[in-house]
Amino acid sequence: MNTDFKMVATTIFGLETVLADELRNLGAQDVEQGIRSVSFKGDTGFMYKANIALRTAIRILKPIKVTKIYDEEDLYDAIKKIKWDTYLNVDGSFSIGAVVNSPNFTNNSHYIALKSKDAIADYFRDKYQKRPDVDLDYPDLKIHVHIQKDLLTVSLDSSGDSLHKRGYRTATNIAPINEVLAAGMVLLSGYTGDENFIDPMCGSGTILIEAAMIANNIPANINRKHFAFENWKEYDEDLYFTIQDSLLKKIRSSHFKIMGFDKAPSAIVKAKQNIISANLEEFIGVHHVNFFNSKKEVFGNTTILFNPPYGERLNVELAEFYKKIGDTLKHNYPGSTAWLITSNVDALKHVGLKTSRRIPLKNGDLDCKFVRYDLYEGSKKASKNNLDALKNINED
């Protein structure tokens, strides 16, 4: 019988609420937000589903032991007591990752991982007189050890490679954006595929691809070749394909335009390669256009969302650059909602537009702000005057 168990989905700082919403929408139980993580309950089929479908998760962990420990000896004993042959054959392979945040453990996470490895090796050696191999690249079982103060959590990593590695990105630019962050920004913007979407500085096309998958309800990791759970002793291939088929049946078609611009011809070439790799060429158009020379050429509401240079790795004159962003949005894109992410809060002052939302996010190690600008048809004042005039007519 397939019973529910606790799992933890890790994510990027700032996307915890989005991930919790995703989990609830997928059907998770007992969803609770943490910092850079969300815990939930589900069965084995749901674990497969979470890996295939979640857009803002980095990995899905299945805790197998939670206990209090106070020193390295406690750590060794706690890990050795786990019945490891339930999860791993003696002639199999494993790897261990560790995260430590505790005053009781002054050694680094690498040492904690080595100590944990010794405990697992000794478990098998004592029982079978031989031990599994350590394989850092393609292990049969990937184990995650987490120590928070005096609490040890040992988990199996069901994802393997980080879930941001969707499997579609074949070409990248100088400063590509992480796929999980790109999807999170699209979801934070409220875009669902019911209006036009533009990334005016699209680079290698990651934001466009994530937006198109959201618009058409395509599972985020449908292009991935492998998940770690496929190596588990309990892996149920029939159940996996049943879950995958049910998700594919929920794909829909959005009929609104999704467009990307970039002034660099090389970026357009890379974006097109990635879009074809993701099988989304019928939904996304990319064009060799300098945003500062562009204007809105689509009717109706439009979401504009982009990741402009921060000045960290790309050399631009930021004050002038961000002023041009504001001028172009204000004069050429009425009836739109614009979102951009930057680590350079000072540069935002030069945009010259009032933000209606500011959301803290992390892009790698950089503290960023994800900001929204509401661009009205004509001026805001004119829009208000038109509304007042209509109200007066109705009252007469």
Side-chain angles (χ1 to χ4, degrees):
M1 186 176 149
N2 224 342
T3 55
D4 284 0
F5 50 88
K6 183 177 175 177
M7 288 172 265
V8 176
T10 63
T11 190
I12 292 169
F13 175 81
L15 296 182
E16 297 91 347
T17 304
V18 181
L19 177 55
D21 287 343
E22 277 200 272
L23 280 160
R24 287 188 195 98
N25 291 337
L26 268 188
Q29 304 298 311
D30 298 345
V31 176
E32 287 184 26
Q33 284 176 227
I35 296 169
R36 293 189 182 87
S37 68
V38 180
S39 67
F40 60 99
K41 281 187 178 172
D43 60 10
T44 299
F46 191 84
M47 182 180 72
Y48 299 166
K49 190 190 208 181
N51 274 284
I52 302 167
L54 288 174
R55 304 183 192 282
T56 56
I58 291 170
R59 57 186 72 252
I60 310 296
L61 302 173
K62 178 183 180 181
I64 56 171
K65 180 159 191 150
V66 179
T67 189
K68 290 201 167 188
I69 59 170
Y70 300 98
D71 55 29
E72 289 161 22
E73 202 172 312
D74 287 349
L75 169 71
Y76 176 90
D77 290 344
I79 289 181
K80 196 179 175 194
K81 280 176 185 164
I82 295 169
K83 291 188 168 72
W84 285 108
D85 44 0
T86 309
Y87 310 107
L88 179 64
N89 292 322
V90 68
D91 55 356
S93 62
F94 69 98
S95 71
I96 297 181
V99 175
V100 184
N101 184 11
S102 169
N104 299 337
F105 293 85
T106 52
N107 290 305
N108 64 25
S109 55
H110 180 64
Y111 177 83
I112 297 300
L114 285 174
K115 195 79 178 169
S116 304
K117 180 208 76 172
D118 290 345
I120 296 169
D122 289 349
Y123 171 88
F124 281 98
R125 205 181 275 115
D126 290 354
K127 194 167 181 180
Y128 300 99
Q129 289 71 57
K130 62 183 289 197
R131 46 155 288 187
D133 293 329
V134 172
D135 184 338
L136 300 179
D137 297 319
Y138 302 105
D140 296 321
L141 194 69
K142 197 166 182 179
I143 300 157
H144 185 78
V145 173
H146 187 265
I147 303 173
Q148 179 70 32
K149 294 182 180 170
D150 58 1
L151 198 68
L152 166 71
T153 306
V154 182
S155 304
L156 307 183
D157 181 348
S158 72
S159 306
D161 275 346
S162 166
L163 293 175
H164 84 273
K165 295 182 179 178
R166 308 281 204 226
Y168 64 70
R169 194 151 80 176
T170 59
T172 61
N173 284 343
I174 300 168
I177 197 161
N178 176 301
E179 292 86 335
V180 163
L181 178 57
M185 293 193 310
V186 175
L187 291 169
L188 280 170
S189 79
Y191 173 78
T192 57
D194 55 357
E195 62 183 45
N196 302 306
F197 185 96
I198 298 171
D199 178 350
M201 297 180 187
C202 71
S204 54
T206 306
I207 291 172
L208 295 170
I209 291 169
E210 295 297 326
M213 289 203 289
I214 287 166
N216 296 284
N217 205 33
I218 297 166
N221 288 302
I222 204 67
N223 293 301
R224 249 174 91 112
K225 298 288 187 285
H226 185 75
F227 298 99
F229 60 70
E230 293 175 61
N231 293 340
W232 290 8
K233 289 173 79 168
E234 64 187 47
Y235 174 54
D236 184 337
E237 189 176 61
D238 290 341
L239 177 60
Y240 172 76
F241 283 115
T242 301
I243 296 291
Q244 190 185 66
D245 287 346
S246 74
L247 288 166
L248 289 172
K249 282 175 185 161
K250 291 174 182 165
I251 291 175
R252 56 175 182 250
S253 280
S254 168
H255 302 294
F256 288 88
K257 287 190 184 300
I258 298 174
M259 291 177 291
F261 310 146
D262 207 286
K263 68 173 188 177
S266 60
I268 297 301
V269 170
K270 288 170 185 171
K272 283 181 176 174
Q273 283 177 312
N274 291 334
I275 290 162
I276 289 166
S277 177
N279 301 308
L280 292 169
E281 59 269 39
E282 67 179 286
F283 301 109
I284 305 169
V286 288
H287 311 281
H288 178 212
V289 172
N290 184 334
F291 170 58
F292 299 140
N293 301 329
S294 72
K295 63 180 182 181
K296 185 180 176 187
E297 293 182 352
V298 286
F299 292 108
N301 292 335
T302 300
T303 295
I304 301 168
L305 196 156
F306 58 119
N307 174 36
Y310 307 165
E312 298 282 340
R313 283 179 284 182
L314 298 168
N315 191 19
V316 292
E317 176 31 66
L318 286 180
E320 183 189 346
F321 188 81
Y322 277 73
K323 182 182 183 300
K324 284 168 82 175
I325 288 176
D327 290 346
T328 307
L329 290 173
K330 184 164 52 180
H331 298 302
N332 296 1
Y333 284 87
S336 304
T337 306
W339 293 82
L340 67 86
I341 185 171
T342 184
S343 66
N344 198 315
V345 180
D346 286 337
L348 284 178
K349 296 170 188 170
H350 300 282
V351 173
L353 296 168
K354 186 173 167 48
T355 57
S356 57
R357 280 194 77 188
R358 295 167 78 94
I359 301 169
L361 287 176
K362 278 269 195 187
N363 185 359
D365 295 330
L366 299 173
D367 290 316
C368 294
K369 285 285 188 289
F370 184 46
V371 298
R372 168 176 164 157
Y373 301 103
D374 297 311
L375 308 164
Y376 297 91
E377 295 278 4
S379 71
K380 188 172 182 180
K381 189 176 176 184
S383 299
K384 185 178 183 304
N385 289 343
N386 290 340
L387 283 171
D388 288 344
L390 281 170
K391 192 175 165 193
N392 290 336
I393 290 166
N394 290 336
E395 283 171 356
D396 290 347

